[in-house]
Amino acid sequence: MEALSLPAALSLVAGGGAGLSPELRAALGASLPLLERDYRFERVWFWGCIQGVRGAYYIAQGLGPDRAAPRSRLYSLNCLDWSLLTPATEEMLALAEEVKGRFQGDPSFEYSLAEINPKAAARLVQSGKEPVMKEEARLIATIEQIDRAVGIVPRGAFVKTPLGSVHENRHFEGLSLVEAKKLSSYFHFTEPTNLKNKTLLEKADLDPSTDFLNSLEHDIPQGKGSWSIQLEKGGSVVVLRSLLWLGLTFYHVPMTKQFGYVYFGTGEKNLDLPFML
């Protein structure tokens, strides 16, 4: 969610129980513009909150001119003081998949890998590293996992230039209400994988400038097994909620440029999803 539209955007996703206290909203309103200035970001998004046992992590993302480029991620424990996170590595992502249970809310907390994954712990010992994973590293990996799996945008909201960079589409005026209720109208805002498997005949109907991402209709479980689509605010807002990462809520106001997503949850994947269908 963009920092400037945060109050209005939070009210649109409040139906799922997501929200911030007036004090935290005021703190974000003061600190996010300073983040944009101090780090020289072109845009700052409020990503959401991961609730731990003893505290919560509030997450912001800084973007540059290319919206598809790796984003800078920062976390705060009070919505005022922010710390920059290092980019997630594939090793971090693999180790984070092994860690189960709630976050503690303490960035310096250490998980013992000897108990979680003895093989990974042995590899770390051989390379001269301690067989532990700090919660800060797990936080980085979890944000990356959620963005890759369920970070979504409406079709046409972004365009890809011939040089490969991705920018906001100035001509995007929102989806129609009919289109906004279809899963095929939303894309994963991450590196596409399914497009390479499409036949030439299937690619013939795609616009390379706008259809360069994976559609939600191909998610597994297919169809509405991974997503819940609802009309709220008297039918004026379309809301999608992820059933894989419970707490991820996306909203779009049809026929307008208003859209975004936010995460309010425990940072745990819903591994029981296949048994819930």
Side-chain angles (χ1 to χ4, degrees):
M1 291 183 172
E2 287 195 35
L4 292 176
S5 60
L6 187 58
L10 285 173
S11 70
L12 295 178
V13 299
L20 294 169
S21 68
E23 293 80 10
L24 291 175
R25 290 193 190 196
L28 286 174
S31 65
L32 292 182
L34 294 178
L35 274 186
E36 188 173 324
R37 183 198 69 186
D38 294 345
Y39 286 91
R40 298 183 179 180
F41 296 135
E42 189 168 290
R43 196 73 58 84
V44 169
W45 286 354
F46 176 67
W47 183 88
C49 166
I50 292 181
Q51 186 68 47
V53 176
R54 298 195 295 267
Y57 296 104
Y58 302 95
I59 315 298
Q61 293 186 332
L63 292 83
D66 184 354
R67 295 294 189 259
R71 304 164 198 168
S72 298
R73 297 187 172 110
L74 306 98
Y75 77 92
S76 173
L77 302 176
N78 57 10
C79 292
L80 286 172
D81 305 306
W82 296 86
S83 300
L84 188 64
L85 292 165
T86 57
T89 64
E90 292 304 319
E91 183 185 32
M92 279 184 192
L93 293 169
L95 290 176
E97 288 275 8
E98 303 286 339
V99 179
K100 302 293 185 288
R102 294 281 302 275
F103 279 79
Q104 296 300 307
D106 176 7
S108 62
F109 180 81
E110 295 182 342
Y111 298 92
S112 172
L113 293 179
E115 301 172 6
I116 299 169
N117 188 330
K119 290 184 179 179
R123 286 197 302 269
L124 288 174
V125 170
Q126 288 175 355
S127 61
K129 299 178 183 177
E130 286 189 65
V132 296
M133 182 181 197
K134 284 197 172 183
E135 183 154 283
E136 187 176 84
R138 183 189 177 192
L139 178 67
I140 297 165
T142 300
I143 297 168
E144 180 69 24
Q145 287 174 331
I146 293 173
D147 267 344
R148 287 187 186 184
V150 292
I152 63 175
V153 295
R155 180 180 184 271
F158 292 86
V159 293
K160 188 173 187 178
T161 67
L163 297 176
S165 59
V166 175
H167 303 279
E168 290 169 6
N169 184 0
R170 296 180 181 178
H171 302 292
F172 178 70
E173 296 297 336
L175 301 171
S176 68
L177 183 58
V178 173
E179 291 296 317
K181 291 188 286 186
K182 299 177 182 177
L183 276 180
S184 57
S185 298
Y186 301 96
F187 292 155
H188 289 281
F189 201 40
T190 187
E191 189 69 28
T193 54
N194 294 337
L195 287 180
K196 299 173 185 175
N197 302 326
K198 287 185 177 291
T199 64
L200 290 175
L201 188 61
E202 289 174 319
K203 290 181 180 178
D205 294 329
L206 302 180
D207 183 339
S209 65
T210 55
D211 298 317
F212 58 94
L213 299 168
N214 289 335
S215 168
L216 265 61
E217 64 181 334
H218 302 301
D219 283 9
I220 299 174
Q222 286 218 340
K224 296 184 179 179
S226 298
W227 295 91
S228 163
I229 304 180
Q230 293 157 342
L231 289 176
E232 298 188 1
K233 303 287 183 182
S236 62
V237 182
V238 178
V239 174
L240 279 73
R241 293 187 174 89
S242 173
L243 303 179
L244 180 62
W245 286 94
L246 298 173
L248 189 289
T249 306
F250 170 89
Y251 76 93
H252 176 48
V253 182
M255 306 305 293
T256 76
K257 296 183 177 183
Q258 297 179 59
F259 69 87
Y261 67 85
V262 68
Y263 179 81
F264 284 94
T266 60
E268 297 172 285
K269 185 188 288 187
N270 179 18
L271 299 176
D272 295 327
L273 178 60
F275 306 102
M276 295 167 60
L277 302 176

